[in-house]
Amino acid sequence: MVWLDLSNNHFTGKLLEDFGDKLLGLQYLNLSQNQFEGALPSSLGNMRDLVYLDLAFNFFSREVPNELLVRCCKLKHLRLSYNRFNGQFFSSKFNLSTLFHLELNNNEFTGSLLNVKLETLEILDVSDNYFKGPIPTWANQVSWLISMRNNSFEGQFPCQQPMSTLLLFLDLSHNFLFGPLPSCIDFTSIVEIHLEGNKFTGLLQNFLPNFSSSLSVLNLRENSLSGVIPDLIGTFINLKLLILGKNHLKGSIPKTLCLLENISIMDLSSNSLSGTIPSCFQNLTFGVMKNDGETLVQDQLQILNEFTDENHIYGHLIKKNLDLVVDIMAVGLNEIYLVDKNRGSSYKGSILNFMSTLDMSCNDLTGEIPQELEKFTQIRALNLSHNQLTGSIPVTLSRLSMIESLDLCCNNLSGNIPPELTNLNFLEIFNVSYNNLSGQIPKKGQFSTFEESSYEGNQFLFEPSLEKCCITNIKTPHLESLASNVTKGKWYEVDLLAFRACFFPTYVIFFLLIVSLLYINPHWLKVPLYFISNINYLLNLSFFNKLSC
């Protein structure tokens, strides 16, 4: 037997210790997406002809046996993701130097990547582990996909040599990397860049090329980038996600952002941006994210397919890897942190296809909210809070028919809350607190569900039930008579039919109860009769005494 595929089943238990000894000639083994558990048997190292090994999505634990990492020198595809493996994977004995595809993500591996040199890798995913130390220089030579998210890598990204021109996906987010943004990234084919949650510094314009037709996601959130947002970012015509929040960017919002007609999520929050919101934002539809990003990946992979046919003897396995790249990028590897509905959350995978967000909160923006924002008919969340915006809330915002979260708090907005906003049937979060708003608070539709905290800090806002609070202080005959009528009116209303239906049966029952008690014990009847006779005697005595006088 050379091929064994047991994936996507419900197998349980541990692998037998002699599992590998019984399948010595096996070249393809896929046990993924089952419920296997326990440690891997060291006999796997005896399967020296093994080319493809997939153990992902199980409950395997403990360290990967050294026999597997030393003896199986023909391995090209190794997938151990989503298990409970721990210990050092890249030990000094590691001997799998000809791997094409290595996935170790979502385990508990430790140690450094400096002990090995993997110059033939096309896919490298070590995300969500406990790896540490510098990023090795050989990482620049990974051809298609690099993901090192959520580890403890540190230092500067090595740029001693340029990165692969075939690279599609780069994710270094949530590590301890610092220094300038990597200048060796080749934007020829790359579709997604995730560098969020590090300590990168420098000017954004020094990082970006003049043009990139393939870039779909640029995530640089939570770094220490400075300078202005460069105009050339508008040349990224296929950009769908632009995440620049929590940096030190300043200056005005460039009008070239209005050229990003495919944008679906834009986060410019928590910077020092100033000036007004460009009215040309009406060109941005912020519609539901289409699958064009996947199409871009497939276009790039067509080139890689030709490259594979010419350069790889394991063509059928590499074609499988290419399909996996599409699945990874379209379904689940990219993870985006957004503040939505008053809370920060990480969104991952296909849910991003249904999100459309504009977040410009926590800046120094001035001027009025543009009327043209009415064009965002498909937007789900709009956050303009914590700025210095003035003027009134545009009535045209009532045309954002799909909006679920609208946050305008902590500005200098004035006027009333447009009652037309009650037509927003999907609105779950609404916040206009700490402005200078006045007038009546709408209480129809979704607005009947919002708490007082949504309106606090606006001393001239009032609810409909408070309109009568000043009636008694106004000295006009008409209002005085109205006030007297109000005070004469009862605070309660009595339903006479219900009252009679309850009172008379209760009265009859009580009377019958007394009669029954007296009938059961005649001695009790003497007591009230004796009391009545005494009262009668006293009355007669008093009457005759008066006559005698």
Side-chain angles (χ1 to χ4, degrees), residues 432-445:
V432 291
S433 59
Y434 299 101
N435 280 284
N436 297 316
L437 299 173
S438 58
Q440 181 174 308
I441 298 174
K443 283 296 179 182
K444 295 181 180 179

Side-chain angles (χ1 to χ4, degrees), residues 18-35:
D18 59 349
F19 179 85
D21 295 330
K22 296 180 179 180
L23 300 168
L24 294 178
L26 205 63
Q27 297 181 18
Y28 181 100
L29 176 59
N30 190 347
L31 304 180
S32 64
Q33 301 192 55
N34 282 284
Q35 300 177 35

Side-chain angles (χ1 to χ4, degrees), residues 472-489:
T472 56
N473 295 329
I474 302 176
K475 303 298 183 180
T476 63
H478 172 69
L479 291 181
E480 285 181 354
S481 62
L482 178 62
S484 63
N485 291 335
V486 170
T487 57
K488 290 179 182 178

